[in-house]
Amino acid sequence: MKLLHRFNGGIHPPQHKTESTRLPILSAPIPEKLVIPLHQHIGTSAKPLVAAGDAVLKGQMIGKAEGYVSSSVHAPTSGKITAIGYEPAPHPSGLRDLCITLEPDGLDAWIERHPLDYLNMDPSSLRNRLRDAGVVGLGGAVFPSFIKLNPGSGKKIKTLVLNGAECEPYITCDDMLMRERADEIIAGAKIMRFMLHAEEVLIGIEDNKPEAIAAMRAALKEAPFEVIPVPTIYPGGGAKQLIRVLTGIEVPAGERSTDLGVQCFNVATALSVYRAIAHGEPVLSRIVTITGAVNKPRNYEALIGTPIDVLIRLAAPVKDSDGAIMGGPMMGFELPSTCVPLVKATNCIIVKSATLFPPAPQPMPCIRCGKCAESCPADLQPQELYWFSKAGNFGKAQEYALFDCIECGCCSYVCPSHIPLVQFYRYAKSEIWAQEREKKASDLARIRHELRVDRMEREKREKAERLAQKSAQARTQMNSEEET
Ligand code: SF4
Ligand code: SF4
């Protein structure tokens, strides 16, 4: 029996998970149109490889990873590219993103696929495959996985953690994936362990998912893999929190778990690693929970680029439904419109209604009760961060470790004054980033100006030296002519 550790803080919000786990995962039909954003991951946007009018096959790369931190995107089915342009994207800003629009031909015809025998390959070739297959963290972070599978020279990963905690209310896509596809998740974990040379693989699943725990245990045939039920508490599925619970290791602020010998991946990412390596299949679809104010909440396997309003219609929204949240109610964000495509980060869509999500009560003044600090899993002083952010004292907010805030929302949830604390932290962070960008730009302009002044002075000096040299030569010549 593994000794578990605990992290400070955390809360127990109503779970709302059983609504969407009564039915098995259903494949959503291929829609009439797919809109595939080229930027679905952390890092640089992919570069388009196709033009309007091109015919493409399912799995064909249509956007190539550009630079090191990037990831490729693929045609989720066969058809014709009808446009490349800026389309509404699932982002809180409501801004448009460069997207490739694909009109499916209904044939769903694949490219030629090339499975790899990973045991006879070196990890760097496997990483290249994952980069080309567009494998990114599917827990919501969408960081390119090939980078996390390269700990760097001289670094040793002792523990590979697979995150099946899925702690946020309403979201059940990982739970259903583990129930139905445990074998493929374990096969992916084996490939990851091979790539990292990890000594042990710990699979953390919250104890409110007994079916998933049983399925994953049944799929495990040998050590050093271990399925470990962890206590149900939000945000126990945060990478740092889960690592703390499973290993006792505290990842300090500003450090990466990799530096401490631990690497953490979501269970759905493990499955896509398996599909990419063992079947030569890039990431073309994902499991998404459609829940909230709908009559048929369940999990769908949907092609990347499927319009979210199409998925919501499948789940039969209730009459007074109004808008939707992407992600969970704690860390997700309100979609500016449901006419946006499903992307690799879309783990859950919660359809809203006034009954389900009544308007937030009016915020009251802070009464310094300290409840927010008690609930904070990052050991911060949320009320101090609030005062500094509100006052625009961003330097002080940084001193109080604003950037250690994972925006989990526990503090806002427990605040008796209903202060939307996280909104203040997001505002402060974005202001600091804007100031840093401005400072970088003005530093760059100053350096450019100084270089220009240096160059002009050097040119002036060189010109003067050349002139002096010329007149010295002329004088020498005159003197020698006079002598003769
Ligand atoms: S929980 Fe709310 S009222 Fe209490 S100290 Fe924190 S911010 Fe102030
Ligand atoms: S949102 Fe930030 S400050 Fe609030 S509880 Fe979470 S980590 Fe702490």
Side-chain angles (χ1 to χ4, degrees):
M1 183 94 169
K2 183 115 185 136
L3 173 72
L4 295 183
H5 306 261
R6 64 180 308 277
F7 60 90
N8 294 331
I11 54 170
H12 293 94
Q15 295 182 24
H16 290 289
K17 290 193 183 252
T18 47
E19 296 93 319
S20 58
T21 54
R22 293 189 191 112
L23 297 166
I25 297 169
L26 184 68
S27 281
I30 300 175
E32 284 171 13
K33 181 176 91 168
L34 292 159
V35 178
I36 306 131
L38 285 154
H39 196 196
Q40 298 185 48
H41 47 266
I42 298 282
T44 318
S45 183
K47 190 174 154 202
L49 292 178
V50 288
D54 287 357
V56 291
L57 290 172
K58 179 175 182 164
Q60 183 176 328
M61 191 189 287
I62 54 175
K64 190 169 174 51
E66 180 90 326
Y68 183 60
V69 185
S70 184
S71 189
S72 302
V73 295
H74 303 79
T77 185
S78 55
K80 194 165 119 187
I81 304 298
T82 55
I84 300 180
Y86 286 86
E87 304 285 347
H91 190 270
S93 68
L95 291 175
R96 288 167 180 257
D97 230 337
L98 189 60
C99 297
I100 296 178
T101 304
L102 167 60
E103 198 178 281
D105 59 13
L107 302 173
D108 211 25
W110 269 100
I111 46 158
E112 206 177 308
R113 282 160 282 173
H114 302 282
L116 299 178
D117 175 12
Y118 75 93
L119 289 171
N120 291 311
M121 296 193 68
D122 64 283
S124 101
S125 314
L126 296 173
R127 284 196 293 271
N128 287 341
R129 163 61 67 92
L130 296 180
R131 184 168 191 261
D132 286 346
V135 178
V136 295
L138 295 180
V142 287
F143 190 79
S145 302
F146 75 94
I147 299 175
K148 284 177 72 178
L149 285 163
N150 184 6
S153 61
K155 291 216 175 107
K156 165 102 186 91
I157 295 294
K158 177 177 175 269
T159 309
L160 167 61
V161 168
L162 232 54
N163 190 344
E166 201 169 55
C167 62
E168 198 162 349
Y170 285 96
I171 312 176
T172 60
C173 54
D174 289 346
D175 183 358
M176 294 308 291
L177 192 75
M178 289 187 284
R179 293 189 200 192
E180 297 187 16
R181 301 182 195 172
D183 284 337
E184 292 182 283
I185 295 170
I186 299 297
K190 285 183 181 166
I191 298 171
M192 289 166 146
R193 180 180 172 234
F194 172 82
M195 294 175 74
L196 292 168
H197 306 291
E199 286 171 28
E200 58 178 2
V201 182
L202 308 180
I203 306 166
I205 306 173
E206 279 195 345
D207 54 15
N208 61 352
K209 302 176 185 62
E211 296 89 346
I213 292 169
M216 291 289 279
R217 282 196 167 142
L220 278 183
K221 308 275 183 319
E222 74 246 42
F225 293 76
E226 202 180 340
V227 171
I228 305 166
V230 295
T232 297
I233 178 167
Y234 176 80
K240 283 189 178 181
Q241 284 70 32
L242 187 62
I243 289 170
R244 166 87 189 140
V245 169
L246 292 175
T247 67
I249 293 173
E250 187 91 61
V251 184
E255 277 192 41
R256 298 173 316 153
S257 66
T258 324
D259 302 325
L260 304 168
V262 187
Q263 193 58 290
C264 181
F265 291 91
N266 170 266
V267 284
T269 313
L271 187 139
S272 44
V273 165
Y274 166 70
R275 299 301 309 180
I277 301 290
H279 293 270
E281 289 176 11
V283 179
L284 307 181
S285 63
R286 70 154 297 142
I287 313 297
V288 56
T289 310
I290 309 288
T291 185
V294 293
N295 290 305
K296 297 179 190 168
R298 77 184 298 170
N299 281 277
Y300 290 89
E301 178 159 21
L303 295 181
I304 302 296
T306 302
I308 282 173
D309 54 353
V310 168
L311 294 170
I312 292 176
R313 276 202 295 279
L314 288 177
V318 299
K319 275 210 182 93
D320 69 335
S321 66
D322 179 23
I325 294 168
M326 181 168 129
M330 304 297 295
M331 294 184 80
F333 62 90
E334 190 155 346
L335 285 170
S337 151
T338 53
C339 299
V340 289
L342 174 111
V343 290
K344 291 176 188 176
T346 316
N347 53 2
C348 181
I349 297 293
I350 307 174
V351 178
K352 288 176 61 196
S353 73
T355 323
L356 199 59
F357 292 98
Q362 205 52 31
M364 310 275 282
C366 169
I367 53 168
R368 295 259 179 205
C369 66
K371 281 192 174 16
C372 50
E374 282 165 28
S375 74
C376 178
D379 299 326
L380 303 177
Q381 294 294 323
Q383 74 278 34
E384 305 294 347
L385 289 175
Y386 161 62
W387 290 115
F388 296 135
S389 303
K390 193 178 173 197
N393 192 347
F394 303 129
K396 213 68 182 145
Q398 273 181 288
E399 253 178 55
Y400 276 71
L402 171 70
F403 284 96
D404 287 356
C405 166
I406 55 171
E407 298 179 16
C408 64
C410 290
C411 51
S412 308
Y413 184 82
V414 298
C415 177
S417 296
H418 310 294
I419 304 172
L421 296 163
V422 183
Q423 288 179 22
F424 284 93
Y425 311 149
R426 285 185 184 148
Y427 159 72
K429 285 181 187 177
S430 63
E431 284 297 304
I432 293 167
W433 285 323
Q435 285 175 6
E436 279 174 3
R437 271 197 304 274
E438 261 174 41
K439 188 174 176 311
K440 258 191 204 156
S442 74
D443 283 352
L444 203 65
R446 183 179 46 75
I447 291 169
R448 274 208 205 102
H449 174 71
E450 284 170 3
L451 286 173
R452 186 166 170 267
V453 170
D454 276 357
R455 180 172 49 79
M456 282 164 63
E457 278 179 1
R458 195 183 62 241
E459 284 173 1
K460 215 160 112 187
R461 213 174 38 246
E462 286 171 358
K463 197 174 168 189
E465 280 169 8
R466 276 198 305 277
L467 279 174
Q469 213 176 6
K470 264 192 191 163
S471 43
Q473 275 172 356
R475 265 199 311 278
T476 322
Q477 203 176 352
M478 258 166 57
N479 289 344
S480 65
E481 280 172 7
E482 276 169 12
E483 279 168 21
T484 54

